[in-house]
Structures are given as structure tokens and as C-alpha cells.
């Protein structure tokens, strides 16, 4: 029987997505083997993220303060809002280097079978942002999956009565593929070639 502390570490690693029992044990033994400073660096990074990172109060991107870096950047065009499912999708679009507007992060997608309805997402806040004025175009950049498309359709209906143009990314991204894995060039093309919803 290994020590109680080691067992606990293995159990914690095993809770991570994609980590089975064997991998959890390998990671735990890795932690035991490396220098104390290196292992504590990991512990500190986890603590920092949980204590300092929250959601931007405007767009729900990850932020270290009240507002994220993108919302705080006055060089960006506030008349353009790009709607994404998760902060990692925002990151993928940022890396395409082609987008200069702001974002709205839904923190998920509508998934009726899993019980995820509109109230679990940030759709109301998005509608309020648009209603407040100053937004010319809302670009739907949800993933090209059944649920992503359904989410985009639902939102476009919510925005139908407001004086804003709703567009969606061009279908350069293969249907079913996920935004965060699409390459920069494809994402840049999808942005430039966006179409009326
Ligand atoms: Zn923000």
C-alpha cells in the first residue's frame, strides 16, 4: 500500500478529462520524482488560475479583472460582436489574426438532450448588449455541429427584432469539425467570407 498522500494525488489526477488510472499513477510518480519547486509551480499555477481568473463581466471571456483584455482594448471595433461557444474558440479566432471586433462568449451551447437550455448560457446578456445599441453586426461563430447550428439559429431569432445584422462564418470549416482545431488560414477565410444568417 502506497502512502495516503500519493493515493490522494492519484485520485485527483484521475478526475482530469482523458486521464485514466494508469496515467494518473504515472503523473503522480512524476510529481514525486521532480524537484519540489517544479511540483509546487504546478500547484501554484492551479491556485492562481482559480483565485485570479474569472469571466469578463461584458463578454464572459476569461479575465484577470472585471473586464478582459479584448474588451479593454480601445483599438477594437465595438460595433462588431463575434459569438463563440467557449473562451478557447475565441482564442482560435484571435490566432487567425483577422478579427478586430469584440466577442461574446456563450459558455456552452444549447444541448436539449443534456438539459442545457438558454438560461444556462449568456444569451440574455448578449441580447441586452445588442439592445443597448452601438452594435452593427453580430457574427455567429458557434461550432458547425448540430448543436452549434441550433444555438446560432436560436440566437438569431432572439435578435430578429433588433436593428442589427446577423451573419455567420463561411462554411470553410468542415461540418462537424470544431473551431478550436481549425487552422488559422481556414478561420481567417471563414471570417472574411461570412454570410448573412
Ligand atoms: Zn470581455
Amino acid at each position: 500500500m502506497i502512502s495516503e498522500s500519493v493515493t490522494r494525488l492519484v485520485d485527483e489526477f484521475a478526475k482530469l478529462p482523458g486521464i485514466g488510472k494508469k496515467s494518473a499513477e504515472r503523473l503522480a510518480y512524476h510529481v514525486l520524482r521532480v524537484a519540489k519547486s517544479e511540483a509546487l509551480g504546478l500547484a501554484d499555477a492551479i491556485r492562481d488560475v482559480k483565485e485570479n481568473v474569472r469571466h469578463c463581466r461584458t463578454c464572459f471571456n476569461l479575465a484577470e479583472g472585471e473586464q478582459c483584455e479584448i474588451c479593454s482594448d480601445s483599438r477594437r471595433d465595438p460595433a462588431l460582436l463575434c459569438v463563440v461557444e467557449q473562451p478557447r474558440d475565441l482564442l482560435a479566432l484571435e490566432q487567425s489574426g483577422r478579427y478586430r471586433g469584440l466577442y461574446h462568449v456563450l459558455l456552452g451551447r444549447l444541448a436539449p438532450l443534456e438539459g442545457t437550455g438558454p438560461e444556462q448560457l449568456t444569451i440574455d446578456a448578449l441580447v441586452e448588449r445588442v439592445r443597448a445599441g452601438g452594435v452593427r453586426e453580430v457574427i455567429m461563430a458557434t461550432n458547425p455541429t448540430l448543436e452549434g447550428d441550433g444555438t446560432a439559429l436560436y440566437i438569431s431569432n432572439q435578435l430578429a427584432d433588433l436593428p442589427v445584422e446577423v451573419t455567420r462564418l463561411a462554411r470553410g470549416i468542415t461540418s462537424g469539425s470544431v473551431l478550436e482545431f481549425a487552422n488559422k488560414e481556414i478561420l481567417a477565410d471563414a471570417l472574411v467570407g461570412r454570410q448573412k444568417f
Side-chain angles (χ1 to χ4, degrees):
M1 175 60 195
I2 47 175
S3 86
E4 203 177 302
S5 303
V6 175
T7 305
R8 193 173 136 222
L9 185 59
V10 171
D11 289 347
E12 289 299 324
F13 278 133
K15 291 178 191 167
L16 298 174
I19 304 289
K21 182 87 178 165
K22 277 269 162 269
S23 301
E25 284 172 3
R26 264 201 301 279
L27 289 170
Y29 282 107
H30 173 77
V31 167
L32 284 169
R33 219 169 32 239
V34 298
K36 188 174 177 183
S37 61
E38 192 176 331
L40 293 184
L42 171 65
D44 288 345
I46 292 172
R47 190 181 326 252
D48 274 2
V49 153
K50 295 314 285 182
E51 283 177 357
N52 300 327
V53 180
R54 49 185 142 172
H55 292 294
C56 170
R57 69 165 175 204
T58 307
C59 77
F60 299 91
N61 182 21
L62 297 175
E64 301 247 349
E66 291 270 288
Q67 274 204 322
C68 73
E69 282 179 22
I70 294 173
C71 287
S72 314
D73 185 348
S74 60
R75 292 163 302 179
R76 303 197 64 128
D77 183 357
L80 272 179
L81 283 192
C82 184
V83 177
V84 295
E85 292 177 24
Q86 297 289 355
R88 58 179 183 264
D89 300 323
L90 179 157
L91 210 60
L93 284 162
E94 280 299 286
Q95 282 161 358
S96 80
R98 199 56 77 84
Y99 184 64
R100 299 302 304 158
L102 301 180
Y103 290 91
H104 192 89
V105 182
L106 297 170
L107 300 178
R109 66 214 175 325
L110 294 178
L113 296 178
E114 292 160 28
T116 309
E119 64 287 347
Q120 270 113 315
L121 307 180
T122 66
I123 296 175
D124 285 350
L126 170 63
V127 174
E128 278 313 305
R129 266 179 100 180
V130 175
R131 203 189 297 279
V135 179
R136 183 179 71 244
E137 181 183 345
V138 172
I139 304 164
M140 291 298 166
T142 50
N143 282 303
T145 57
L146 204 61
E147 290 174 343
D149 285 342
T151 306
L153 183 64
Y154 178 86
I155 293 172
S156 75
N157 286 334
Q158 299 295 303
L159 297 173
D161 295 335
L162 296 170
V164 68
E165 185 173 20
V166 181
T167 58
R168 70 190 316 168
L169 292 188
R171 294 276 136 152
I173 308 169
T174 328
S175 192
S177 78
V178 175
L179 225 61
E180 65 176 305
F181 301 124
N183 75 39
K184 285 183 206 171
E185 289 72 28
I186 289 175
L187 279 178
D189 287 349
L191 262 168
V192 171
R194 62 185 186 268
Q195 300 143 357
K196 230 177 155 38
F197 198 87

